[in-house]
Structure formats: structure tokens, C-alpha cells
């Protein structure tokens, strides 16, 4: 796995971070809300920067693949975090479609390596 894929995965995790921060900011008020908004700003900045870096350099990941994988990592992480942090429901169909998303991300990485 190249450094660009590692950057992309970490960037996707920070995307999860900024989504969680937005959710937490909506459920708080005052100083705590501002702290979550600051966490959002930091997370979104790091996430975008790592996406940018993953698409450049010697082993650049094509923009279509990079953006799809980055977004999927963020989406998967956000759904899982929503289940554990916000007590969102766990249903068969949510898990089914989350699984198809995971399979798609792995497939994109496999075909992009060749």
C-alpha cells in the first residue's frame, strides 16, 4: 500500500471526525458547541489537505477513485459512529448497504493498484 493510500484513509477518518463534530455541535450549546465547531474546522481542513496530497505525487490516486474512497470511508465511519454515539438504529438494510459500500471501496482500491 502506497503512502498516498495511507493519506487517503487517514483523510477519510478525519472526514468522519468532521461529521461527528457537526452532530455533536448540534446537540450542545454555549462553549461546548464552539469547541465542537472548532473540532469540525480542524477536521475538515486536515481531511481536505490529505485528500489533496493523496491525489498528487509519484503514486497519485486518480481523482475519481480518491474522492469516491475518501467519501466512502467518511460515510462508513459516520454511520458506525452514529450507531455508537448517537444511538441510531441498527437494521438489516443499513448493515447490508454499509457492507456493499465497504466491498465497493475495497474493489476500487484493488483495481486502482494495477
Amino acid at each position: 500500500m502506497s503512502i498516498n493510500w495511507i493519506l487517503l484513509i487517514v483523510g477519510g477518518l478525519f472526514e468522519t471526525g468532521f461529521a461527528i463534530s457537526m452532530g455533536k455541535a448540534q446537540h450542545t450549546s454555549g462553549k461546548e458547541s464552539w469547541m465542537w465547531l472548532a473540532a469540525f474546522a480542524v477536521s475538515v481542513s486536515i481531511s481536505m489537505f490529505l485528500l489533496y496530497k493523496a491525489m498528487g505525487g509519484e503514486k497519485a490516486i486518480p481523482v475519481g477513485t480518491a474522492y469516491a474512497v475518501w467519501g466512502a470511508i467518511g460515510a462508513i465511519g459516520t454511520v458506525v459512529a452514529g450507531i455508537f454515539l448517537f444511538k441510531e438504529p441498527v437494521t438489516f438494510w443499513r448493515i447490508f448497504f454499509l457492507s456493499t459500500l465497504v466491498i465497493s471501496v475495497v474493489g476500487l482500491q484493488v483495481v486502482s493498484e494495477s
Side-chain angles (χ1 to χ4, degrees), residues 37-60:
L37 289 172
F40 164 79
V42 170
S43 294
V44 76
S45 298
I46 293 170
S47 181
M48 293 290 175
F49 178 74
L50 293 174
L51 173 63
Y52 165 78
K53 293 300 281 183
M55 293 187 302
E58 196 173 299
K59 299 216 178 209

Side-chain angles (χ1 to χ4, degrees), residues 79 83 89-102:
V79 169
I83 289 168
V90 179
T91 65
F92 170 80
W93 289 112
R94 281 187 97 190
I95 300 305
F96 173 78
F97 288 116
L98 191 62
S99 300
T100 63
L101 188 55
V102 170

Side-chain angles (χ1 to χ4, degrees), residues 3-28:
I3 187 71
N4 288 37
W5 280 102
I6 294 168
L7 293 173
L8 188 64
I9 291 166
V10 173
L13 295 174
F14 273 98
E15 184 187 3
T16 298
F18 78 71
I20 292 168
S21 298
M22 274 195 301
K24 288 294 214 176
Q26 290 177 335
H27 292 98
T28 59

